[in-house]
Amino acid sequence: KYTKHYLSFDSTFFKTMLIHVILSSVLLLSAHGMTTAFVSVPCSTIAQSFLCSKKSEADGDVHHQQAFAIGTFVEFTEKNRVHIGKIQSVEHKSSGGARYKVLDSEDKLFDIADKNVKYSMACPNSPGQANKLYEAFCQAQDVPVQSIQEKLDVTPELLEMAWEEAAEESDVEGSSHLITSASFIQLVHAHTASAMEKYLAWKLLQSEMSHIFFKEIKENGRVVAFKAKTRKAVDNAKEMFCRNHEDSELCFV
């Protein structure tokens, strides 16, 4: 839309067009903030996310998809298998879609599309902290739900209380109240969640028991938030769950 011939225009026109570009950038940044509010994204990702063309589609240019930063820890899928790895490089296809070279915990290199990344975690600047976090991330990949509940100290009763709180806020605000793994920890334990607490809560909120109370909200194929279900939907789901899990603590709550 904006060519290098702008120097031939008078200063008033140039100022008008410059203001238009600035306002458009502000709106784009605001939209970016909204769409990534629920995802664990490193700060350096934001700087990379606007590598896009200003030219029109008629010129054959495309917008580059937002990309995770090199070094980011990710959980990703490959042929229906789940892996933990580190992003080694980032590239964009001719269509604008992001692709990554990811080295998994067994030192195997994978070439994956952005849609295959299911969860991301920023890599700490300190090598020691980074290694410790990555090791914990790998170990938590296959942790059973019961162990996650114990690690997070979240009982079925607390889970149901979190749903009630989220549902009440939805009723008061008159709109759907979404929670993230971070806000879930803040809600049940009243402290800021660590990187691993957020990951474990993200896994817990996708468990069969959590599906009684919350619906997954996806963005670009990733689960980024959870929506509190209505009381009627919860009552029905809980009844169905307890038919098959009579010994579950939830069925005595």
Side-chain angles (χ1 to χ4, degrees):
K1 293 181 180 179
Y2 314 121
T3 69
K4 294 183 178 180
H5 299 298
Y6 62 79
L7 294 175
S8 63
F9 293 90
D10 58 40
S11 60
T12 300
F13 178 78
F14 173 73
K15 291 178 180 178
T16 301
M17 296 304 292
L18 181 60
I19 291 173
H20 177 74
V21 172
I22 293 173
L23 289 175
S24 298
S25 299
V26 171
L27 290 173
L28 181 60
L29 285 169
S30 298
H32 171 77
M34 291 175 63
T35 56
T36 60
F38 303 112
V39 189
S40 174
V41 182
C43 297
S44 55
T45 302
I46 298 176
Q48 296 185 13
S49 63
F50 298 105
L51 301 176
C52 58
S53 172
K54 283 287 185 181
K55 296 181 181 180
S56 66
E57 294 182 3
D59 295 328
D61 292 306
V62 295
H63 290 274
H64 286 170
Q65 181 182 26
Q66 176 186 330
F68 294 110
I70 293 174
T72 301
F73 301 158
V74 293
E75 178 182 293
F76 65 98
T77 58
E78 180 269 337
K79 295 181 179 179
N80 296 321
R81 290 175 293 184
V82 180
H83 305 265
I84 298 294
K86 304 174 185 178
I87 293 179
Q88 304 295 301
S89 64
V90 182
E91 63 179 7
H92 285 87
K93 299 183 296 182
S94 58
S95 61
R99 293 194 67 85
Y100 308 98
K101 289 287 194 306
V102 182
L103 190 68
D104 78 351
S105 55
E106 298 179 350
D107 291 331
K108 295 180 181 179
L109 192 64
F110 295 86
D111 184 351
I112 63 170
D114 182 84
K115 66 181 180 180
N116 292 104
V117 176
K118 301 307 176 185
Y119 190 87
S120 67
M121 187 183 295
C123 174
N125 293 325
S126 167
Q129 292 180 353
N131 290 334
K132 184 178 180 180
L133 179 60
Y134 185 68
E135 183 179 348
F137 192 17
C138 293
Q139 292 175 350
Q141 178 188 349
D142 297 320
V143 173
V145 174
Q146 184 64 39
S147 296
I148 292 177
Q149 289 180 239
E150 293 172 359
K151 287 178 179 293
L152 293 178
D153 193 20
V154 174
T155 62
E157 184 178 9
L158 271 178
L159 184 63
E160 186 161 5
M161 287 174 62
W163 162 73
E164 290 176 345
E165 182 71 20
E168 286 177 6
E169 290 191 24
S170 296
D171 292 339
V172 172
E173 297 174 2
S175 60
S176 298
H177 182 70
L178 303 180
I179 67 170
T180 65
S181 57
S183 64
F184 175 77
I185 295 297
Q186 181 67 48
L187 182 62
V188 298
H189 291 313
H191 71 249
T192 301
S194 67
M196 282 308 302
E197 283 179 323
K198 285 187 284 188
Y199 176 62
L200 291 173
W202 177 77
K203 290 174 71 69
L204 176 64
L205 289 168
Q206 294 178 78
S207 66
E208 183 182 9
M209 182 167 55
S210 294
H211 282 163
I212 296 173
F213 305 104
F214 299 100
K215 176 183 178 181
E216 297 171 3
I217 302 299
K218 293 185 177 182
E219 184 177 287
N220 296 329
R222 286 184 279 276
V223 176
V224 296
F226 304 87
K227 176 183 176 182
K229 293 183 178 180
T230 64
R231 183 168 294 278
K232 182 178 180 180
V234 168
D235 289 342
N236 291 336
K238 189 174 181 180
E239 181 180 352
M240 292 292 293
F241 176 86
C242 290
R243 287 179 183 175
N244 300 316
H245 303 82
E246 295 180 355
D247 297 331
S248 173
E249 290 181 48
L250 182 65
C251 300
F252 299 99
V253 174

